[in-house]
Amino acid sequence: MTKSGKLYVVGIGPGSYEDMTIRAIKALEESEVIVGYTVYIDLIKEHFPDKEMLTTPMRKEQERCLLAIEEAKKGKTAAMVCSGDSGVYGMSGLILEMARSEEDLEIQIIPGVTAALSGGAVLGAPLGHDFAVISLSDLLTPMELIEDRLRASAQADMVICLYNPSSKKRADYLKRACEIVMEYKNQSTICGLVKNIGREEEVMAVMTLEELRDTQTDMFTTVYIGNSMTKMINGRMVTPRGYKNV
Ligand code: SAH
């Protein structure tokens, strides 16, 4: 059966053009129209000047998905862009749910470099062993479940990577998360954070868990809490695989 339209759901990585995959670039080049949150469209538009760009504000995720689906249903090749990877706290699941009865639509998901990985590379090698990724946003997830997952991961001595560590409305969430983690992890555990990965004003810092507890972050920051083996080497955060004699 021939499909009538094509929709790419594209993870554009952390922000810079260089951090996009070649497959993501090719999908956007092939698209006639690109849909996305204003900030992400601003990040890519200079590289795709002849494309029609449709933007929607943040928090209008369903509207944005519907817009992308409608464009593709017109028979066009459309792309919806997400930061990092579109499947990691992103829109690809929502697109597949909302388009479940659109049998004529071909939907292709293009993976991107998620913040855990791009920020990890800035810090050094914090994710060298088993790790858990937890979002502190309770917009769509009950706080009790977030706290249970923090406890379980900390108890299992996982490296923990935190997305959405805080926002204006949730200023003390990171502090609370650190307090929970400290029930199981030593306060001297090596931690790190990276703000604005791959964008202008990228900043990173390595510190102890106790220091992290008293640090203010924002929604453009990704946070890393090490395991009991994580060390600081020349200012960088390293979680060893476990090789001897290094
Ligand atoms: N789909 C995205 C994640 C969206 S959730 C991805 O795969 O990366 C939004 C959270 O991701 C932010 O609160 C922050 O914790 C993290 N994040 C996304 N892009 C970032 C960047 N450029 N710099 C730092 N953190 C980022």
Side-chain angles (χ1 to χ4, degrees):
M1 191 178 81
T2 47
K3 304 264 176 175
S4 65
K6 190 166 183 180
L7 178 57
Y8 286 114
V9 188
V10 181
I12 61 165
S16 73
Y17 184 74
E18 286 71 22
D19 284 328
M20 282 176 73
T21 66
I22 293 171
R23 206 173 144 205
I25 292 169
K26 282 186 173 163
L28 296 183
E29 279 169 355
E30 191 195 313
S31 300
E32 297 160 80
V33 50
I34 302 176
V35 180
Y37 167 45
T38 324
V39 172
Y40 307 144
I41 293 289
D42 284 347
L43 284 169
I44 60 162
K45 67 180 175 203
E46 64 168 307
H47 298 286
F48 304 93
D50 55 344
K51 305 292 176 189
E52 185 187 353
M53 302 273 180
L54 302 175
T55 61
T56 62
M58 202 162 90
R59 296 275 186 90
K60 298 273 181 185
E61 282 94 359
Q62 273 159 296
E63 219 173 84
R64 201 180 310 147
C65 290
L66 192 63
L67 185 63
I69 292 167
E70 292 300 326
E71 286 298 312
K73 274 173 69 179
K74 291 179 192 166
K76 295 183 187 172
T77 298
M80 190 167 87
V81 291
C82 296
S83 80
D85 181 83
S86 70
V88 180
Y89 312 118
M91 298 285 95
S92 52
L94 188 55
I95 286 274
L96 291 171
E97 284 179 295
M98 290 176 68
R100 60 158 71 82
S101 37
E102 306 291 349
E103 285 165 11
D104 287 348
L105 210 60
E106 182 189 340
I107 300 177
Q108 237 189 69
I109 318 284
I110 313 281
V113 183
T114 189
L117 306 184
S118 52
V122 175
L123 282 170
L127 307 179
H129 213 286
D130 299 341
F131 64 96
V133 175
I134 299 175
S135 165
L136 295 189
S137 169
D138 61 351
L139 287 176
L140 302 169
T141 309
M143 202 58 214
E144 303 77 63
L145 183 58
I146 298 173
E147 294 191 354
D148 283 349
R149 288 177 179 170
L150 283 168
R151 279 199 184 87
S153 311
Q155 193 167 22
D157 196 24
M158 301 269 255
V159 175
I160 303 174
C161 179
L162 298 174
Y163 282 49
N164 299 299
S166 39
S167 68
K168 284 192 193 103
K169 277 196 196 149
R170 302 181 287 109
D172 63 340
Y173 279 30
L174 178 61
K175 188 182 178 72
R176 173 83 190 116
C178 289
E179 281 164 358
I180 290 170
V181 168
M182 272 186 199
E183 293 169 18
Y184 305 95
K185 287 184 189 260
N186 200 300
Q187 60 184 28
S188 61
T189 303
I190 297 296
C191 297
L193 56 84
V194 193
K195 184 176 174 174
N196 293 325
I197 304 160
R199 303 184 189 168
E200 275 174 40
E201 295 162 43
E202 176 185 275
V203 267
M204 66 91 123
V206 180
M207 62 190 78
T208 65
L209 180 54
E210 191 181 23
E211 288 165 337
L212 181 67
R213 182 191 57 193
D214 300 322
T215 300
Q216 270 303 330
T217 54
D218 58 23
M219 57 182 292
F220 304 108
T221 303
T222 301
V223 170
Y224 302 76
I225 300 174
N227 68 16
S228 55
M229 306 302 288
T230 303
K231 351 175 191 191
M232 178 149 85
I233 301 177
N234 297 328
R236 304 186 87 184
M237 181 177 177
V238 179
T239 301
R241 285 288 314 281
Y243 295 108
K244 301 274 183 268
N245 308 322
V246 283

